[in-house]
PDB file of all heavy atoms in Angstrom:
ATOM      1  N   GLU A 111      11.625  17.413 -10.471  1.00  0.00           N
ATOM      2  CA  GLU A 111      10.278  17.296 -11.055  1.00  0.00           C
ATOM      3  C   GLU A 111       9.702  15.903 -10.801  1.00  0.00           C
ATOM      4  O   GLU A 111       8.506  15.751 -10.544  1.00  0.00           O
ATOM      5  CB  GLU A 111      10.338  17.614 -12.551  1.00  0.00           C
ATOM      6  CG  GLU A 111      10.633  19.097 -12.809  1.00  0.00           C
ATOM      7  CD  GLU A 111      10.947  19.415 -14.263  1.00  0.00           C
ATOM      8  OE1 GLU A 111      11.692  18.621 -14.891  1.00  0.00           O
ATOM      9  OE2 GLU A 111      10.464  20.436 -14.772  1.00  0.00           O
ATOM     10  N   LEU A 112      10.577  14.893 -10.854  1.00  0.00           N
ATOM     11  CA  LEU A 112      10.148  13.529 -10.539  1.00  0.00           C
ATOM     12  C   LEU A 112       9.700  13.431  -9.084  1.00  0.00           C
ATOM     13  O   LEU A 112       8.636  12.883  -8.775  1.00  0.00           O
ATOM     14  CB  LEU A 112      11.318  12.569 -10.822  1.00  0.00           C
ATOM     15  CG  LEU A 112      11.155  11.109 -10.464  1.00  0.00           C
ATOM     16  CD1 LEU A 112      10.015  10.480 -11.260  1.00  0.00           C
ATOM     17  CD2 LEU A 112      12.461  10.348 -10.733  1.00  0.00           C
ATOM     18  N   ALA A 113      10.502  13.975  -8.164  1.00  0.00           N
ATOM     19  CA  ALA A 113      10.145  13.924  -6.739  1.00  0.00           C
ATOM     20  C   ALA A 113       8.844  14.679  -6.467  1.00  0.00           C
ATOM     21  O   ALA A 113       8.070  14.303  -5.583  1.00  0.00           O
ATOM     22  CB  ALA A 113      11.281  14.505  -5.895  1.00  0.00           C
ATOM     23  N   LEU A 114       8.595  15.729  -7.251  1.00  0.00           N
ATOM     24  CA  LEU A 114       7.384  16.543  -7.039  1.00  0.00           C
ATOM     25  C   LEU A 114       6.114  15.812  -7.455  1.00  0.00           C
ATOM     26  O   LEU A 114       5.010  16.267  -7.144  1.00  0.00           O
ATOM     27  CB  LEU A 114       7.489  17.866  -7.818  1.00  0.00           C
ATOM     28  CG  LEU A 114       8.529  18.876  -7.317  1.00  0.00           C
ATOM     29  CD1 LEU A 114       8.621  20.068  -8.270  1.00  0.00           C
ATOM     30  CD2 LEU A 114       8.216  19.355  -5.901  1.00  0.00           C
ATOM     31  N   THR A 115       6.244  14.674  -8.152  1.00  0.00           N
ATOM     32  CA  THR A 115       5.034  13.917  -8.513  1.00  0.00           C
ATOM     33  C   THR A 115       4.486  13.134  -7.322  1.00  0.00           C
ATOM     34  O   THR A 115       3.359  12.659  -7.376  1.00  0.00           O
ATOM     35  CB  THR A 115       5.301  12.898  -9.653  1.00  0.00           C
ATOM     36  OG1 THR A 115       6.195  11.883  -9.186  1.00  0.00           O
ATOM     37  CG2 THR A 115       5.872  13.575 -10.888  1.00  0.00           C
ATOM     38  N   ALA A 116       5.309  12.982  -6.263  1.00  0.00           N
ATOM     39  CA  ALA A 116       4.872  12.179  -5.124  1.00  0.00           C
ATOM     40  C   ALA A 116       4.007  13.015  -4.177  1.00  0.00           C
ATOM     41  O   ALA A 116       4.061  14.245  -4.168  1.00  0.00           O
ATOM     42  CB  ALA A 116       6.084  11.618  -4.382  1.00  0.00           C
ATOM     43  N   ASP A 117       3.239  12.315  -3.344  1.00  0.00           N
ATOM     44  CA  ASP A 117       2.393  13.006  -2.368  1.00  0.00           C
ATOM     45  C   ASP A 117       3.231  13.635  -1.259  1.00  0.00           C
ATOM     46  O   ASP A 117       2.787  14.571  -0.597  1.00  0.00           O
ATOM     47  CB  ASP A 117       1.417  12.003  -1.728  1.00  0.00           C
ATOM     48  CG  ASP A 117       0.443  11.423  -2.743  1.00  0.00           C
ATOM     49  OD1 ASP A 117       0.070  12.142  -3.683  1.00  0.00           O
ATOM     50  OD2 ASP A 117       0.082  10.236  -2.595  1.00  0.00           O
ATOM     51  N   ARG A 118       4.437  13.079  -1.037  1.00  0.00           N
ATOM     52  CA  ARG A 118       5.262  13.500   0.102  1.00  0.00           C
ATOM     53  C   ARG A 118       6.719  13.258  -0.249  1.00  0.00           C
ATOM     54  O   ARG A 118       7.030  12.376  -1.041  1.00  0.00           O
ATOM     55  CB  ARG A 118       4.867  12.633   1.310  1.00  0.00           C
ATOM     56  CG  ARG A 118       5.618  12.881   2.577  1.00  0.00           C
ATOM     57  CD  ARG A 118       5.070  12.016   3.718  1.00  0.00           C
ATOM     58  NE  ARG A 118       5.787  12.311   4.951  1.00  0.00           N
ATOM     59  CZ  ARG A 118       5.532  13.353   5.717  1.00  0.00           C
ATOM     60  NH1 ARG A 118       4.567  14.181   5.417  1.00  0.00           N
ATOM     61  NH2 ARG A 118       6.239  13.571   6.805  1.00  0.00           N
ATOM     62  N   ARG A 119       7.627  14.056   0.338  1.00  0.00           N
ATOM     63  CA  ARG A 119       9.052  13.884   0.107  1.00  0.00           C
ATOM     64  C   ARG A 119       9.803  13.771   1.431  1.00  0.00           C
ATOM     65  O   ARG A 119       9.680  14.676   2.284  1.00  0.00           O
ATOM     66  CB  ARG A 119       9.631  15.071  -0.703  1.00  0.00           C
ATOM     67  CG  ARG A 119       9.341  14.985  -2.205  1.00  0.00           C
ATOM     68  CD  ARG A 119       9.212  16.321  -2.868  1.00  0.00           C
ATOM     69  NE  ARG A 119       8.011  16.998  -2.395  1.00  0.00           N
ATOM     70  CZ  ARG A 119       6.771  16.691  -2.788  1.00  0.00           C
ATOM     71  NH1 ARG A 119       6.575  15.756  -3.682  1.00  0.00           N
ATOM     72  NH2 ARG A 119       5.702  17.320  -2.278  1.00  0.00           N
ATOM     73  N   VAL A 120      10.530  12.665   1.590  1.00  0.00           N
ATOM     74  CA  VAL A 120      11.438  12.477   2.729  1.00  0.00           C
ATOM     75  C   VAL A 120      12.850  12.638   2.183  1.00  0.00           C
ATOM     76  O   VAL A 120      13.204  12.012   1.175  1.00  0.00           O
ATOM     77  CB  VAL A 120      11.274  11.062   3.334  1.00  0.00           C
ATOM     78  CG1 VAL A 120      12.293  10.840   4.440  1.00  0.00           C
ATOM     79  CG2 VAL A 120       9.857  10.855   3.853  1.00  0.00           C
ATOM     80  N   ALA A 121      13.665  13.506   2.831  1.00  0.00           N
ATOM     81  CA  ALA A 121      15.001  13.794   2.288  1.00  0.00           C
ATOM     82  C   ALA A 121      16.079  13.584   3.337  1.00  0.00           C
ATOM     83  O   ALA A 121      15.849  13.787   4.544  1.00  0.00           O
ATOM     84  CB  ALA A 121      15.050  15.242   1.790  1.00  0.00           C
ATOM     85  N   GLY A 122      17.275  13.229   2.877  1.00  0.00           N
ATOM     86  CA  GLY A 122      18.432  13.171   3.745  1.00  0.00           C
ATOM     87  C   GLY A 122      18.894  14.583   4.098  1.00  0.00           C
ATOM     88  O   GLY A 122      18.668  15.530   3.330  1.00  0.00           O
ATOM     89  N   ASP A 123      19.576  14.725   5.250  1.00  0.00           N
ATOM     90  CA  ASP A 123      19.973  16.079   5.672  1.00  0.00           C
ATOM     91  C   ASP A 123      21.124  16.633   4.830  1.00  0.00           C
ATOM     92  O   ASP A 123      21.536  17.773   5.005  1.00  0.00           O
ATOM     93  CB  ASP A 123      20.282  16.122   7.170  1.00  0.00           C
ATOM     94  CG  ASP A 123      21.453  15.248   7.570  1.00  0.00           C
ATOM     95  OD1 ASP A 123      22.276  14.882   6.696  1.00  0.00           O
ATOM     96  OD2 ASP A 123      21.564  14.919   8.767  1.00  0.00           O
ATOM     97  N   ASN A 124      21.646  15.817   3.907  1.00  0.00           N
ATOM     98  CA  ASN A 124      22.730  16.287   3.020  1.00  0.00           C
ATOM     99  C   ASN A 124      22.261  16.497   1.579  1.00  0.00           C
ATOM    100  O   ASN A 124      23.083  16.651   0.682  1.00  0.00           O
ATOM    101  CB  ASN A 124      23.879  15.268   3.038  1.00  0.00           C
ATOM    102  CG  ASN A 124      23.437  13.889   2.581  1.00  0.00           C
ATOM    103  OD1 ASN A 124      22.241  13.642   2.424  1.00  0.00           O
ATOM    104  ND2 ASN A 124      24.378  13.001   2.374  1.00  0.00           N
ATOM    105  N   VAL A 125      20.956  16.505   1.350  1.00  0.00           N
ATOM    106  CA  VAL A 125      20.498  16.603  -0.047  1.00  0.00           C
ATOM    107  C   VAL A 125      20.659  18.026  -0.586  1.00  0.00           C
ATOM    108  O   VAL A 125      20.732  18.995   0.169  1.00  0.00           O
ATOM    109  CB  VAL A 125      19.022  16.172  -0.241  1.00  0.00           C
ATOM    110  CG1 VAL A 125      18.785  14.742   0.179  1.00  0.00           C
ATOM    111  CG2 VAL A 125      18.074  17.129   0.442  1.00  0.00           C
ATOM    112  N   LYS A 126      20.704  18.100  -1.904  1.00  0.00           N
ATOM    113  CA  LYS A 126      20.610  19.392  -2.587  1.00  0.00           C
ATOM    114  C   LYS A 126      19.551  19.239  -3.674  1.00  0.00           C
ATOM    115  O   LYS A 126      19.607  18.283  -4.461  1.00  0.00           O
ATOM    116  CB  LYS A 126      21.945  19.797  -3.188  1.00  0.00           C
ATOM    117  CG  LYS A 126      22.956  20.174  -2.109  1.00  0.00           C
ATOM    118  CD  LYS A 126      24.235  20.692  -2.686  1.00  0.00           C
ATOM    119  CE  LYS A 126      25.205  21.032  -1.562  1.00  0.00           C
ATOM    120  NZ  LYS A 126      26.572  20.645  -1.866  1.00  0.00           N
ATOM    121  N   VAL A 127      18.605  20.153  -3.674  1.00  0.00           N
ATOM    122  CA  VAL A 127      17.545  20.108  -4.681  1.00  0.00           C
ATOM    123  C   VAL A 127      17.523  21.434  -5.425  1.00  0.00           C
ATOM    124  O   VAL A 127      17.983  22.453  -4.898  1.00  0.00           O
ATOM    125  CB  VAL A 127      16.159  19.820  -4.040  1.00  0.00           C
ATOM    126  CG1 VAL A 127      16.202  18.558  -3.189  1.00  0.00           C
ATOM    127  CG2 VAL A 127      15.656  21.000  -3.209  1.00  0.00           C
ATOM    128  N   GLY A 128      16.988  21.417  -6.626  1.00  0.00           N
ATOM    129  CA  GLY A 128      16.900  22.678  -7.362  1.00  0.00           C
ATOM    130  C   GLY A 128      16.441  22.467  -8.784  1.00  0.00           C
ATOM    131  O   GLY A 128      16.279  21.340  -9.257  1.00  0.00           O
ATOM    132  N   GLN A 129      16.199  23.593  -9.434  1.00  0.00           N
ATOM    133  CA  GLN A 129      15.819  23.598 -10.860  1.00  0.00           C
ATOM    134  C   GLN A 129      16.904  24.384 -11.591  1.00  0.00           C
ATOM    135  O   GLN A 129      16.729  25.569 -11.891  1.00  0.00           O
ATOM    136  CB  GLN A 129      14.446  24.259 -11.040  1.00  0.00           C
ATOM    137  CG  GLN A 129      13.304  23.557 -10.349  1.00  0.00           C
ATOM    138  CD  GLN A 129      12.818  22.278 -10.994  1.00  0.00           C
ATOM    139  OE1 GLN A 129      12.058  21.548 -10.417  1.00  0.00           O
ATOM    140  NE2 GLN A 129      13.262  21.966 -12.198  1.00  0.00           N
ATOM    141  N   PRO A 130      18.069  23.747 -11.881  1.00  0.00           N
ATOM    142  CA  PRO A 130      19.194  24.487 -12.461  1.00  0.00           C
ATOM    143  C   PRO A 130      19.134  24.684 -13.975  1.00  0.00           C
ATOM    144  O   PRO A 130      20.118  25.119 -14.590  1.00  0.00           O
ATOM    145  CB  PRO A 130      20.394  23.608 -12.078  1.00  0.00           C
ATOM    146  CG  PRO A 130      19.847  22.223 -12.020  1.00  0.00           C
ATOM    147  CD  PRO A 130      18.427  22.352 -11.565  1.00  0.00           C
ATOM    148  N   GLU A 131      17.973  24.397 -14.579  1.00  0.00           N
ATOM    149  CA  GLU A 131      17.882  24.460 -16.048  1.00  0.00           C
ATOM    150  C   GLU A 131      18.330  25.797 -16.618  1.00  0.00           C
ATOM    151  O   GLU A 131      18.889  25.862 -17.715  1.00  0.00           O
ATOM    152  CB  GLU A 131      16.437  24.165 -16.502  1.00  0.00           C
ATOM    153  CG  GLU A 131      16.021  22.711 -16.362  1.00  0.00           C
ATOM    154  CD  GLU A 131      15.390  22.390 -15.026  1.00  0.00           C
ATOM    155  OE1 GLU A 131      15.579  23.161 -14.054  1.00  0.00           O
ATOM    156  OE2 GLU A 131      14.724  21.345 -14.941  1.00  0.00           O
ATOM    157  N   ILE A 132      18.079  26.904 -15.882  1.00  0.00           N
ATOM    158  CA  ILE A 132      18.396  28.231 -16.410  1.00  0.00           C
ATOM    159  C   ILE A 132      19.892  28.335 -16.731  1.00  0.00           C
ATOM    160  O   ILE A 132      20.293  29.045 -17.657  1.00  0.00           O
ATOM    161  CB  ILE A 132      17.944  29.335 -15.414  1.00  0.00           C
ATOM    162  CG1 ILE A 132      17.628  30.633 -16.123  1.00  0.00           C
ATOM    163  CG2 ILE A 132      18.964  29.583 -14.314  1.00  0.00           C
ATOM    164  CD1 ILE A 132      16.280  30.717 -16.748  1.00  0.00           C
ATOM    165  N   GLN A 133      20.700  27.569 -15.974  1.00  0.00           N
ATOM    166  CA  GLN A 133      22.143  27.600 -16.210  1.00  0.00           C
ATOM    167  C   GLN A 133      22.525  26.862 -17.496  1.00  0.00           C
ATOM    168  O   GLN A 133      23.670  26.929 -17.947  1.00  0.00           O
ATOM    169  CB  GLN A 133      22.871  27.015 -14.991  1.00  0.00           C
ATOM    170  CG  GLN A 133      22.719  27.936 -13.785  1.00  0.00           C
ATOM    171  CD  GLN A 133      23.145  27.311 -12.472  1.00  0.00           C
ATOM    172  OE1 GLN A 133      23.710  26.215 -12.442  1.00  0.00           O
ATOM    173  NE2 GLN A 133      22.869  28.000 -11.383  1.00  0.00           N
TER     174      GLN A 133
END
Side-chain angles (χ1 to χ4, degrees):
E111 291 170 318
L112 175 62
L114 291 174
T115 66
D117 296 327
R118 179 177 182 80
R119 281 149 292 284
V120 176
D123 63 19
N124 59 350
V125 300
K126 289 185 181 140
V127 306
Q129 298 285 169
E131 288 90 341
I132 207 81
Q133 292 168 8

